[in-house]
Amino acid sequence: MTTTMGRAPARGAPRRRLLAAVLALLFAPASRAELVFSPAVELRASATDNANMAPPERAHGRVVAEVAPGFSLSEQTARLNLKLAYQLRFYTGGGDDANSQRHQSQLQASAKARLLEDWLFLDGAASISQQSTSAFGPQQGDNGYSTLNRNEVRTLSISPYLRRRLGAGADLELRYTRDQVDSNNAAFGRSQSDQLFASLASGPAFRSLGWGLQLSKLRQHDSVAPDSSSSGANGSLSYGVSPSLNLSLGAGYDKMDFGLGGVSQGRSWTTGLRWAPTLRSSLQLSHGRRYYGASNGLSLQHRSRNTVWSAHYDDSVTTSRSQFLLPAAVSTAELLNRLMSATISDPLLRAQAVEAYIRANSLPRSLATSVNYFSNRYSLQKQLQASVGLNTARTITMLSVYDTRRSALSARQSDSALLGSSSETLNDDTRQRGASVALNWHPSSRFGATLSADLSNTRSLSTGLGSRQRSLRLQLNRQFQPRLSGNLELRRVHGDGLSGAGAYTENAVALSISLKL
């Protein structure tokens, strides 16, 4: 008799389980009528004078044609909120060298389902994307035909959970999460994690005084590194000084087993306040201590009729895989949603208007943020992000800045295949700073222009090496018919490798036509 006990789960098993769950929900009688399927195809031709971001003596031009069929799928009912967008890009003329590819896939999917009313729920997500291998190499966001400093990353997560109100005294949540991160870079490998989370918090019977208890346990299996795990227990108390001011106090214990790098553990405590003087403004502050040292947090939100402001700071122990599962970028859709809330009150109509605006003006899905480079190590990340949006009758301006520092906590041996022996200390302690600005001008519903600029500076504090990149883009958009639109892009990118070595410049022009079928 053959047994499979102790074997790693089949590679496709989590995907099949998530697909089966989503399909069952899609074809349920209560949700099928609201399903919206929107196929589309994009044709694009681009010409560049430096296809692989090489120094001047090795730069060469290239003309690339792209065909990109795709579709979007959406469902929004009382039971199910589903969003899925897939695109398959084919390239010709991209060359036959080692850094060229003929096609690539892009997928973003999320599902939130209510399986049993006020009792059992399910969250799911999946993605396929191109990610930078290193923060110190060329960041190629536009020429997908080149794989220089880029690899494909595939993520999948499924999370059933139970949420129940226990009378008026407490709210209970029990959650299980299974996720997987995979890449075509063998040195990054494939990893899977299982997490259990339990929360018991005060209910509506507690008006001024609130309390909460949380327990968590995570175990991760990695194909290129030893298994790792983490666990935590935390309790909190909160007190409403006034309707607009709330104070909190928390304490707990955390334990982290890094696999390579030993075990870190210790008591934790935190204090915090939340101040919301109006519905448009809020401020949250926290200060405490965890096993890795002092821990602080900041979240600031403010909205006026024509502006939105936000700032966020936090520190946490993280990994590249967890960043791929939960990207920390500033969402363009979220910023525009807050900008348009003064003129479009209905959330559903506002979400549709935001999506239409992003598509019509070819805006990026997220504003500039630090590069989530490939690493198999645990790191302490301290990240500050701030953004501003300004809305006038004919323009929308978006500005974002960031400052991110990562200090490795686990042993560098797990990254030896990624970096090699000569660069094994490069990611021990890194700092990334950058800013971006985008100005969109829309004189009519059929025409728009967007001028954007990005600046990034990455430095290895452990070696003293660094690199920079600057880019400038102009995009012109024209809506010819309700289902047919065109885009013309001009761009200039300049950057360098480690400490100025291998400086490169690219000038490019691209023309695309998009047709909704």
Side-chain angles (χ1 to χ4, degrees), residues 234-235 248-252 254 266-273 284-298 313-316 380 382:
N234 296 277
S248 62
L249 176 67
D254 299 312
R267 292 185 294 270
S268 64
W269 60 268
T270 182
T271 60
L273 69 84
Q284 295 185 62
L285 295 172
S286 65
H287 172 70
R289 193 166 189 86
R290 297 185 62 188
Y291 62 90
Y292 53 76
S295 178
N296 300 288
L298 163 70
Y313 172 83
D314 69 358
D315 51 62
S316 61
L380 171 60
K382 299 180 179 181

Side-chain angles (χ1 to χ4, degrees), residues 158-161 174-179 193-197:
I158 183 168
S159 180
Y161 61 100
L174 301 175
R175 180 185 289 265
Y176 167 74
T177 302
R178 168 79 170 188
D179 60 53
S193 77
D194 297 275
Q195 182 177 22
L196 294 173
F197 174 80

Side-chain angles (χ1 to χ4, degrees), residues 71-91:
F71 66 91
S72 64
L73 199 63
S74 65
E75 167 92 5
Q76 189 161 6
T77 68
R79 293 184 52 178
L80 176 65
N81 188 341
L82 171 69
K83 295 179 181 178
L84 185 151
Y86 177 76
Q87 191 175 57
L88 178 59
R89 309 189 76 92
F90 296 94
Y91 305 100

Side-chain angles (χ1 to χ4, degrees), residues 182-464:
D182 195 6
S183 170
N184 59 357
N185 187 327
F188 183 66
R190 177 166 58 97
S191 59
Q192 301 167 340
S193 77
D194 297 275
Q195 182 177 22
L196 294 173
F197 174 80
S199 171
L200 185 65
S202 56
F206 294 83
R207 297 182 180 274
S208 297
L209 182 65
W211 54 268
L213 297 171
Q214 298 86 36
L215 299 173
S216 64
K217 176 69 176 181
L218 182 146
R219 186 174 298 275
Q220 178 179 315
H221 172 73
D222 200 305
S223 63
V224 297
D227 289 359
S228 59
S229 63
S230 65
S231 58
N234 296 277
S236 62
L237 292 173
S238 62
Y239 179 69
V241 179
S242 69
S244 62
L245 179 62
N246 187 278
L247 303 179
S248 62
L249 176 67
Y253 194 90
D254 299 312
K255 181 179 180 180
M256 176 71 72
D257 183 351
F258 298 116
L260 278 178
V263 177
S264 293
Q265 57 186 321
R267 292 185 294 270
S268 64
W269 60 268
T270 182
T271 60
L273 69 84
R274 184 181 187 277
W275 181 49
T278 70
L279 294 177
R280 296 183 173 187
S281 303
S282 66
L283 171 66
Q284 295 185 62
L285 295 172
S286 65
H287 172 70
R289 193 166 189 86
R290 297 185 62 188
Y291 62 90
Y292 53 76
S295 178
N296 300 288
L298 163 70
S299 180
L300 172 66
Q301 304 281 345
H302 175 68
R303 175 174 60 87
S304 67
R305 180 170 179 80
N306 296 313
T307 64
V308 291
W309 306 74
S310 67
H312 181 79
Y313 172 83
D314 69 358
D315 51 62
S316 61
V317 175
T318 186
T319 60
S320 294
R321 75 177 304 276
S322 63
Q323 296 289 311
F324 290 139
L325 284 163
L326 296 172
V330 178
S331 168
T332 302
E334 181 180 343
L335 190 149
L336 291 176
N337 184 73
R338 295 175 61 211
L339 270 176
M340 294 183 180
S341 61
T343 55
I344 307 176
S345 59
D346 184 88
L348 181 58
L349 295 179
R350 188 166 65 247
Q352 294 172 348
V354 166
E355 179 64 21
Y357 190 87
I358 292 176
R359 289 182 176 275
N361 293 278
S362 301
L363 296 178
R365 291 290 173 175
S366 61
L367 304 182
T369 188
S370 54
V371 176
N372 182 29
Y373 52 83
F374 277 30
S375 176
N376 297 307
R377 303 169 71 180
Y378 283 86
S379 297
L380 171 60
Q381 177 175 281
K382 299 180 179 181
Q383 185 173 61
L384 172 66
Q385 291 182 322
S387 63
V388 178
L390 173 64
N391 187 16
T392 69
R394 298 297 181 189
T395 66
I396 285 183
T397 304
M398 298 178 291
L399 170 67
S400 69
V401 296
Y402 64 88
D403 186 344
T404 303
R405 181 171 180 177
R406 283 193 192 180
S407 302
L409 298 176
S410 55
R412 65 174 65 107
Q413 286 89 331
S414 56
D415 275 352
S416 57
L418 279 168
L419 297 174
S421 58
S422 61
S423 303
E424 63 179 5
T425 62
L426 187 65
N427 291 338
D428 282 0
D429 195 356
T430 64
R431 187 165 195 174
Q432 299 182 52
R433 292 174 170 172
S436 72
V437 61
L439 172 62
N440 173 254
W441 175 55
H442 43 277
S444 70
S445 60
R446 290 180 171 269
F447 177 77
T450 303
L451 179 65
S452 60
D454 296 273
L455 171 65
S456 64
N457 189 342
T458 303
R459 191 166 186 82
S460 171
L461 302 181
S462 54
T463 65

